[in-house]
Amino acid sequence: MSERDDPVTIGRRVQQLRAERGLTQKQLAEPAYTPAYVSTLEAGRVRASDEALRHIAERLGVAYDELVTGRSARLATELRLRLTGAQRTLATGATEAAAEAFTAVLAEAETHRLAEERAAALLGLGECGIDTGDLEAARRHFEQAEQALGAAPLPARVPALRGRAVAHYLAGELRYAVYLLETTLDELNRGGLHDPDALLLLYASVIGPYMDLGAHARAAQAAELALALAPRAGDPALVARMHRSVARTLLAEGRIAEADASLAKAAELYRGLQIRTELAHCHWMRGYVCAQNGELDRAEAELREARTMLSAKRAALYTSQVAVELADVLHRRGKSDEAAALLKEVLADLGSERGALHSAAAHRLLGIIAEDARDTEAAEEHYVRALSLLERAGAAGDLADLCRLLGDLLRRTGRVEAALDAYRTGLGHRTAPGTTTLGPAPAQPPL
């Protein structure tokens, strides 16, 4: 049942609608009620029963919900159509235009107390924040969407929960992102809420944080579950996103051809859906695959294409992240000056609260470039900055590698004790990657 306005507001509305239609109180009341009752109702001195209001709505020729709430019966449908348009706008890369459309829908949904449409608009604004790199705004919108859906079943709240986790992940808060995703997965599976789209969205989203934490076994397991869920999922965009995420774990296992094939499937789906941002991510991951496979010329081309596509839609954070990977390829191709210039440009947009992992990767690579140029002081400074960022994020595998680089530098400059400390720190992070910090794995769906 729709939430009613107060009796005074309803009474004024009945009086206005009756006057517009040229009806008397007697004509409105007959045959079930008296003119005196209608007069009392219009004055707001009585709380009419549902039966009475349905009778009056029928006589006035309006829907019951419109009479008691003031909302047009078409309003919710029109807002949902506008939401779909805003989502398509966001998918094609026009983030600012999409944000304006979502904001306009949000204002109307709040005015007319349409909870579902309000939640959808907040989700859209959260995705806009992710695209532009405004992670604080994104997190706030996802939290508000989650609150708006508080009474809804858990599968309906999954997009908001997942959005919040992604915002924390991109901010470098890996463990908390994994906690949110795993907790939701565990609650879904233990509660028998095996919604394929919701599960696929969560498993695809948790792969990246697992990989960055060094929890490769869990990442591989999440990828296998995502692949098993894909045929049952109804949203092709989710399937495409899953293929892109799964490619990363296949790559970690050395399954290069399968990773490339998974990315090709994602690219094909995104082309069909005309989702420019995600298609750019496919070029990004293909470039990453090629770089790991030693195909540096192709890797450079793919990463440049991804950066161009993301820059065109002003996806600042993602553009900076791609630039770090492109700089690594440029350095490996002997273009160290170009790589260093690109990294210094990127660091202006990244930091501990925004893109911490890629900021650390930029400092790590600048340290390597400085070492190649025999500038050990600058190299050490970059390594130490990277170490601080990675310790905050808890990226175990990257920390171990960085400690090795720093230890080697300290040893070559004669600081043996400091080098040993760095090596010990690195070994501590490699003891059992991803197992000592994550706790028990979440329950699995019955596949």
Side-chain angles (χ1 to χ4, degrees):
M1 185 184 296
S2 300
E3 181 184 350
R4 284 191 189 189
D5 283 331
D6 62 88
V8 172
T9 302
I10 292 176
R12 289 175 184 160
R13 189 174 297 132
V14 170
Q15 185 179 42
Q16 180 182 348
L17 290 169
R18 179 177 61 78
E20 287 173 359
R21 286 154 177 75
L23 298 175
T24 66
Q25 290 180 337
K26 180 179 180 181
Q27 288 172 324
L28 185 61
E30 291 178 342
Y33 300 92
T34 66
Y37 177 77
V38 172
S39 177
T40 306
L41 186 153
E42 289 183 349
R45 295 197 299 269
V46 64
R47 183 177 178 83
S49 66
D50 285 344
E51 183 181 0
L53 289 173
R54 291 187 189 281
H55 165 80
I56 291 170
E58 183 179 351
R59 299 288 287 174
L60 290 170
V62 299
Y64 167 79
D65 281 348
E66 182 175 350
L67 180 64
V68 300
T69 66
R71 296 194 291 261
S72 165
R74 296 181 56 188
L75 179 62
T77 302
E78 290 170 354
L79 288 184
R80 283 194 288 272
L81 286 171
R82 287 166 58 188
L83 281 167
T84 302
Q87 288 157 356
R88 287 177 63 84
T89 301
L90 177 61
T92 57
T95 307
E96 289 183 7
E100 289 177 5
F102 283 126
T103 300
V105 172
L106 177 62
E108 288 199 45
E110 289 179 339
T111 298
H112 297 287
R113 296 178 308 214
L114 293 167
E116 289 184 17
E117 289 71 23
R118 176 175 179 268
L122 287 166
L123 279 171
L125 286 170
E127 293 295 341
C128 289
I130 293 292
D131 267 15
T132 60
D134 189 350
L135 301 180
E136 184 177 347
R139 189 161 54 239
R140 183 174 66 253
H141 286 127
F142 286 129
E143 286 171 354
Q144 290 172 345
E146 194 177 343
Q147 290 167 4
L149 294 167
L154 181 57
R157 290 183 275 124
V158 162
L161 284 160
R162 175 258 175 194
R164 189 153 61 95
V166 170
H168 284 289
Y169 168 51
L170 291 175
E173 300 164 7
L174 274 66
R175 286 196 185 91
Y176 187 60
V178 167
Y179 165 78
L180 287 174
L181 294 166
E182 285 195 339
T183 301
T184 308
L185 280 166
D186 198 57
E187 190 175 347
L188 281 170
N189 288 324
R190 290 189 187 281
L193 303 171
H194 305 302
D195 182 282
D197 285 350
L199 289 170
L200 178 56
L201 184 60
L202 292 168
Y203 281 121
S205 299
V206 81
I207 291 171
Y210 276 156
M211 293 291 289
D212 288 338
L213 281 168
H216 298 147
R218 286 205 188 176
Q221 184 181 54
E224 293 298 330
L225 290 168
L227 286 168
L229 286 161
R232 296 161 54 185
D235 187 342
L238 287 181
V239 178
R241 184 183 295 163
M242 177 274 298
H243 279 299
R244 179 167 55 84
S245 297
V246 163
R248 195 173 176 189
T249 54
L250 294 173
L251 180 63
E253 297 172 0
R255 295 152 70 180
I256 305 297
E258 291 175 66
D260 211 16
S262 192
L263 290 169
K265 290 177 184 176
E268 182 179 355
L269 283 164
Y270 284 132
R271 284 192 191 95
L273 293 165
Q274 296 182 332
I275 300 180
R276 186 176 178 83
T277 306
E278 299 291 354
L279 184 57
H281 286 200
C282 290
H283 285 291
W284 177 0
M285 287 302 295
R286 290 191 77 155
Y288 183 68
V289 169
C290 293
Q292 297 301 308
N293 203 29
E295 302 172 51
L296 299 182
D297 54 345
R298 187 179 166 205
E300 181 179 343
E302 293 282 2
L303 291 170
R304 286 192 186 279
E305 176 67 13
R307 187 165 181 251
T308 298
M309 293 175 73
L310 291 167
S311 297
K313 65 179 294 299
R314 294 188 288 273
L317 184 56
Y318 287 136
T319 304
S320 296
Q321 292 174 334
V322 171
V324 174
E325 303 211 18
L326 174 59
D328 180 57
V329 171
L330 291 172
H331 170 63
R332 290 167 63 185
R333 298 197 71 191
K335 305 175 184 179
S336 296
D337 290 343
E338 185 181 352
L342 182 58
L343 291 168
K344 288 171 183 176
E345 176 187 334
V346 161
L347 282 172
D349 293 324
L350 298 174
S352 60
E353 300 295 331
R354 188 170 176 272
L357 291 173
H358 284 78
S359 181
H363 280 296
R364 173 188 177 279
L365 185 50
L366 282 169
I368 292 172
I369 292 171
E371 271 205 85
D372 290 346
R374 301 184 185 281
D375 187 349
T376 55
E377 185 176 342
E380 183 177 346
E381 181 181 345
H382 284 299
Y383 288 153
V384 169
R385 287 186 182 181
L387 188 64
S388 174
L389 289 163
L390 291 174
E391 284 180 333
R392 179 183 178 280
D398 291 341
L399 265 168
D401 175 66
L402 187 63
C403 287
R404 178 187 59 78
L405 289 171
L406 179 59
D408 289 348
L409 174 64
L410 294 169
R411 179 173 53 80
R412 283 195 295 271
T413 54
R415 287 169 285 175
V416 178
E417 286 300 322
L420 287 171
D421 285 341
Y423 290 140
R424 289 189 192 103
T425 300
L427 285 171
H429 286 294
R430 292 300 289 175
T431 302
T435 58
T436 59
T437 59
L438 291 179
Q444 296 181 23
L447 296 175

